[in-house]
Amino acid sequence: MSKDKQFVTEITPQSEDFSRWYIDVIKKAELMDYSPVRGCIVFRPEGYELWENIQRDLDRRFKETGHRNAYFPMFIPESFFQKEKEHVEGFNPELPWVTEAAGEKLEERLAVRPTSETMFGHMYSKWIQSYRDLPVLINQWANVVRWEKRTMPFLRTSEFLWQEGHTAHENEEEAREETMRMLNVYREFVEEFLAIPVIVGEKTPSERFAGAVDTYSIEAMMKDGKAVQAGTSHYLGTKFAVAFDIKYLDRENTLQFCHTTSWGASTRLIGALIMVHGDDRGLALPPKVAPTQVIMIPIGPAKMREQVVGRVDELYAELKKAGVRVRVDDRADVSPGWKFNEYEMRGVPLRLELGPRDMENGVVVLVSRMTGEKRIVQQDNLIAEVEAMLAEIQSGMLEKAKQFRSDNSRSVDTIDEMKAFLEEQRGFVEAGWCGSAACEKQVKEETGATSRNIPFEPSVQKPKCLVCGDDSKHTVVFARAY
């Protein structure tokens, strides 16, 4: 057997080195490769299909809430960033600039898009004249560039893919409703589609998006106890409307500034997906997002191969027609055992085995990637059995991730308790916070953890600040984060 046909090579155990495990898995599963440009990656087909499935389902949800897609330029004049002071200060360290084109120096530097509030603001000021033009509900699927000093594939790269929604409204009430509506869209999507439980809440002032009045987020726990911000929604008030002169004539014929929002999720969802569900065998993908939901593997002696493969092809056609994302691996030059290991490593949710004896009995064997459970099911009822098992795997993965988060979360009263927990175990900490930036900063300096958000539904209400002991204004979730 050739070297590249051997059994799946060893993956670094999560307990030994989680970061190494992550890199091993995404490389071996062929999700990405490194590009020659620092901090940038190439999405291989297996990885890009994950993004396509994420994009497809999110896009459906956006359109159901009345949003439409458009596309705006990736080059943004420097003067646009100067119009909103907080915004430029927040992004300046990460901005790459274009200074020359066609051999000539540009009159004005152009930023390569880090986010598009300024470009949308400029265009909205041209398009919006009257309350009859409102609301404007536009989403953009695009790439953005933020020149990161420390990078990690999918989670933090210099260029990444995302969507960014930008909306304009008559008043604060409508804009805030939009902000919360889209936050809930993200929550439902990440939990229902990616099987990742999230904590929903408001960011503290120090963690707000640059230029926002209020920022809200969904936060997910990875298998190493760290947090990933899985989506954000921002109420921008009239800040960008004032900066870019986005005005409309109201119903009393008076000029008013629009209230705007922005919201986004990115390919870091792929990183979160891997880190929440993966194990020492490799990827474990929820069926709804998996590029291949069922892998079909014929087994048995060579003399029966033609008959077995023929029946596998018939069952394949039935599953395909029913809308199941299914593939057949009928290669004769690698063993079934090698294939079992390979597709477990690639995270395919369900394996279907068919051999000569199964053909005689009119059955197939289904094996769950999540639990390893084997079920012998009738071929006549295959579609229903496969759909039921995929649904069980999807819900089971969400429950398993919820239990992991619960087992690795702790309520604490003091910063010393927090330090002890993070040294012993790692995970999420709920604690009281007085609202002081100094206390929040001290937590970060002493523990390496940041405030993730102020959860809407904390498990407990903490009465005292974990740092100074004064009365708390909020119960906050703290964690080390990617």
Side-chain angles (χ1 to χ4, degrees), residues 151-434:
T151 61
M152 194 167 194
F154 298 121
L155 287 169
R156 192 172 291 277
T157 50
S158 296
E159 178 193 18
F160 56 92
L161 307 178
W162 78 347
Q163 58 72 215
E164 51 180 318
H166 298 270
T167 70
H169 304 265
E170 285 188 63
N171 54 52
E172 179 174 348
E173 182 183 3
E174 288 183 13
R176 286 193 177 275
E177 282 178 7
E178 165 77 2
T179 305
M180 301 313 295
R181 180 185 301 113
M182 301 319 294
L183 184 69
N184 196 49
V185 166
Y186 289 141
R187 180 192 64 77
E188 289 181 351
F189 167 76
V190 171
E191 293 193 338
E192 293 172 5
F193 198 76
L194 303 183
I196 298 175
V198 293
I199 294 172
V200 187
E202 182 179 354
K203 287 287 192 183
T204 63
S206 69
E207 296 289 328
R208 276 186 202 137
F209 175 70
V213 175
D214 291 308
T215 289
Y216 304 89
S217 73
I218 55 172
E219 304 285 334
M221 182 188 288
M222 306 299 102
K223 282 269 184 77
D224 63 348
K226 288 185 178 179
V228 164
Q229 182 179 281
T232 51
S233 188
H234 316 285
Y235 169 60
L236 305 176
T238 58
K239 287 187 175 186
F240 285 88
V242 170
F244 288 89
D245 204 32
I246 312 172
K247 292 179 182 175
Y248 71 97
L249 279 173
D250 68 12
R251 295 161 201 272
E252 280 72 49
N253 218 33
T254 303
L255 270 178
Q256 303 284 358
F257 286 109
C258 291
H259 290 250
T260 64
T261 80
S262 67
W263 29 273
S266 76
T267 41
R268 68 171 18 210
L269 288 173
I270 297 174
L273 188 70
I274 298 160
M275 288 187 168
V276 168
H277 299 303
D279 56 28
D280 287 347
R281 290 177 291 156
L283 293 179
L285 298 174
K288 288 185 179 180
V289 72
T292 301
Q293 295 171 317
V294 179
I295 183 67
M296 303 180 74
I297 298 176
I299 57 177
K303 63 183 179 181
M304 294 292 294
R305 174 176 168 74
E306 191 174 329
Q307 289 172 267
V308 173
V309 170
R311 184 56 181 148
V312 164
D313 288 343
E314 290 171 358
L315 295 174
Y316 166 85
E318 290 179 22
L319 288 168
K320 192 83 172 171
K321 187 177 180 181
V324 178
R325 295 192 292 276
V326 58
R327 287 172 56 199
V328 175
D329 189 339
D330 58 3
R331 290 175 292 172
D333 60 338
V334 289
S335 71
W338 187 93
K339 294 176 187 178
F340 296 169
N341 281 274
E342 175 74 6
Y343 292 107
E344 279 193 356
M345 182 273 293
R346 291 181 180 273
V348 177
L350 199 55
R351 183 172 80 237
L352 184 154
E353 302 169 15
L354 181 70
R357 189 173 296 175
D358 301 318
M359 285 183 63
E360 286 178 24
N361 297 327
V363 298
V364 298
V365 179
L366 298 178
V367 185
S368 165
R369 167 64 176 86
M370 183 183 74
T371 64
E373 178 196 1
K374 289 188 175 184
R375 286 188 197 171
I376 298 171
V377 305
Q378 296 295 318
Q379 293 178 18
D380 291 345
N381 199 35
L382 180 60
I383 292 168
E385 294 282 0
V386 164
E387 289 176 344
M389 207 160 170
L390 290 174
E392 287 174 28
I393 292 168
Q394 183 79 28
S395 61
M397 292 181 78
L398 177 60
E399 291 309 309
K400 186 177 180 182
K402 281 182 179 178
Q403 188 61 53
F404 180 86
R405 185 182 68 185
S406 176
D407 292 344
N408 292 277
S409 296
R410 181 76 56 85
S411 168
V412 304
D413 295 316
T414 68
I415 194 168
D416 287 336
E417 279 185 48
M418 181 176 176
K419 282 192 279 191
F421 170 70
L422 292 176
E423 285 168 13
E424 292 166 12
Q425 187 170 342
R426 295 181 299 184
F428 284 11
V429 172
E430 274 187 323
W433 175 55
C434 64

Side-chain angles (χ1 to χ4, degrees), residues 123-168:
M123 300 310 299
Y124 282 3
S125 69
K126 296 171 65 176
W127 298 345
I128 297 169
Q129 307 298 327
S130 160
Y131 70 89
R132 294 184 181 86
D133 301 323
L134 298 170
V136 178
L137 308 174
I138 292 180
N139 175 64
Q140 169 174 250
W141 292 96
N143 63 334
V144 290
V145 176
R146 297 178 186 176
W147 214 250
E148 300 279 1
K149 291 180 180 177
R150 295 179 62 195
T151 61
M152 194 167 194
F154 298 121
L155 287 169
R156 192 172 291 277
T157 50
S158 296
E159 178 193 18
F160 56 92
L161 307 178
W162 78 347
Q163 58 72 215
E164 51 180 318
H166 298 270
T167 70

